Each structure stands twice: as structure tokens, then as C-alpha cells.
Amino acid sequence: MDLVDALGQLSFEVQGALAEIAGKHDLSLVQTRLLGVLRDREPTMQELGRHLGLDKSSVTGLVLRAQRRGLVIRTASELDRRSAHVIITEDGLRLASAVADEFARWIAANVAAVLAPAEQRELTRLVKKVLSS
Amino acid sequence: MDLVDALGQLSFEVQGALAEIAGKHDLSLVQTRLLGVLRDREPTMQELGRHLGLDKSSVTGLVLRAQRRGLVIRTASELDRRSAHVIITEDGLRLASAVADEFARWIAANVAAVLAPAEQRELTRLVKKVLSS
DNA sequence: TATTGTTATACTCTATAACTATA
DNA sequence: TATAGTTATAGAGTATAACAATA
């Protein structure tokens, strides 16, 4: 198995695990990403679309479904009355944290447990080097 | 950034690239995985569902849409007349190869180009170690 | 009775095009 | 005119439950 196969397979493994963890909390991968983005920001619908790589019309439905579950709210912008900012709720934050914690435990059990400490550091260094390019 | 963030982010990068490459050929990620599975096998609908982690009812629609595009065919099983085997066509194989080749080029440009040869070998070794657990 | 696969149904996710309200 | 957002519409993808055909 070469580098291409290794990274391809790894990405499916990791995304599969994340999807399964999210699913246990009745979240899709996209809803999980939505909450993840909103942990650090209070973006407009348009900015949210850019972060997620989605059309504005897709964001409308995505946010609506999250809002129905009480995970986010929308507030009118002060400056531009066409705009709305999306804000995560306490419930949303709790859910995002629960998924993130469980994902961290999955990495610990399935990656960290398999590699020696020096190997973990080296893997992290190499992946970061790739990501920063 | 720690190991958890690094692997999470990497998986999104890689899957995003793969989705974009597949999209250029009018394929979804799932359709791409379907063709990938069928490169090595001629499974029944049920076996296909196990490979893809999908319910049999989901597989019905997935295969139907691939069949409409001429990427797969279904043949009746000789042994069990309830069963149908799914077989990839020449067109399907060509499409699967095109996506795989382009993905390999993406890895070469975005990963291999960033790492020294020894680092590439080490990254491959570490990822394989994780995957084999 | 059990298994293979399809169908009916319902929901999420996505994009395009048309629209409203504001800038 | 241009931009922010929603709505209407269409299609892919998914699961559950009910069903038909075969084992």
C-alpha cells in the first residue's frame, strides 16, 4: 500500500468514525461542521456558506433545521438589515463539545494507542506540515 | 494543533479533494466508492451494502442510478434466484480509473511535494500502522 | 419460516432560478 | 443596480417498514 492508498483509506476511516459519533447524537456530519464553525464565530448566512463551501440556499435549510432543534438562533444585523447572524446556543455548544470529546477519545483509542509517543509526535508533525501548505 | 485536530482536519481536506475530483466527473463520493468496490468484486446487493455500510434499500437506488448511466449492470445469480450480482462496465471502470488517477496526482501535488522522500515513507508507515489495528 | 431484494414513504442535504427586501 | 437571504423546485442519498419471490 502506497501513500495514496494510505491517506485515502485513513480519510474514510476518520470521517466514518466522526459520522458514527455524530449520528449517536442525531447529528449529520454537516450539522456537526456547522456547530464547529459556530464555536468561534457569529457569521452571517453568507459567511457561513463560505466556511462550509455551500450555496446560500443550502445554508438556509441547514440553519433552519438546527434552529428547530434549538442548537442555533438567528439575530438581525444592526448594520445591514438584509443580513442575519447565526449564533450557537448553549445546547448547541454542549452538543458540539460532546461530539468533539468523543472524537478525541476515538483518536486516542484507535491512533494514539497504536503508536509510540515519539511516533505520535512525528505523525502530528508530518500532517501539520502537509496541512500548512 | 494536536494529533486530534491534525487528523480531523486532514480527513476533511482529503475527502473534500476527492469529492471535488469526483464531482468533475459528475460522480458523488458514494458513487465513487461504489465503483471502487466493484473494481475487485462482483457482489450481490446485500454484500455491496455491507461493503458500503448501507441498508439494502439504499443500495437499490444507488445501483439503479449507476445503472441508468451505464456504469454497472445487474445479472441474476445462478445459485440463488433471489440474488443479483452487480458488475461494473467498461465505462464504469474507465471512470473509476480516471478519478483514482486524478486523486493520485492530487496527493502527489499536495502531500508528496511538501515532504522529503524519507518523510513520505515515514508518513506512509505510520498511517499503515494505524490502519492495520 | 428465513432471506434477498424492491417499493412506499419520509427526511436530510444540495444546487439553480426566481423572488423580496434592503443597500 | 447590486447584494443578502428565502422560496420553489428538483434530485441524490439515506433509513424504516411492508411486501414479493425464493430458499
Side-chain angles (χ1 to χ4, degrees), chain A residues 17-94:
Chain A
L18 194 49
E20 193 182 323
I21 291 167
K24 281 197 283 186
H25 297 274
D26 278 307
L27 283 178
S28 68
L29 263 184
V30 173
Q31 290 283 339
T32 304
R33 286 180 64 206
L34 169 67
L35 297 184
V37 166
L38 295 178
R39 287 177 107 177
D40 308 33
R41 301 167 198 82
E42 297 188 350
T44 63
M45 299 292 280
Q46 186 183 231
E47 289 163 347
L48 199 45
R50 269 199 301 272
H51 276 292
L52 298 171
L54 295 176
D55 188 84
K56 56 186 176 168
S57 64
S58 305
V59 177
T60 297
L62 201 64
V63 169
L64 178 65
R65 289 185 291 275
Q67 194 173 16
R68 280 205 203 106
R69 292 181 56 181
L71 306 178
V72 308
I73 59 170
R74 266 181 289 200
T75 60
S77 168
E78 309 276 308
L79 304 171
D80 186 337
R81 281 174 25 221
R82 294 171 301 180
S83 278
H85 287 266
V86 184
I87 303 174
I88 193 166
T89 63
E90 285 298 322
D91 278 359
L93 274 175
R94 261 193 296 277

Side-chain angles (χ1 to χ4, degrees), chain B residues 28 30-31 54-55 57-58 62 65 79-82:
Chain B
S28 68
V30 174
Q31 289 283 340
L54 296 176
D55 188 84
S57 62
S58 305
L62 201 65
R65 290 186 291 275
L79 305 171
D80 186 335
R81 278 168 35 216
R82 294 171 301 181

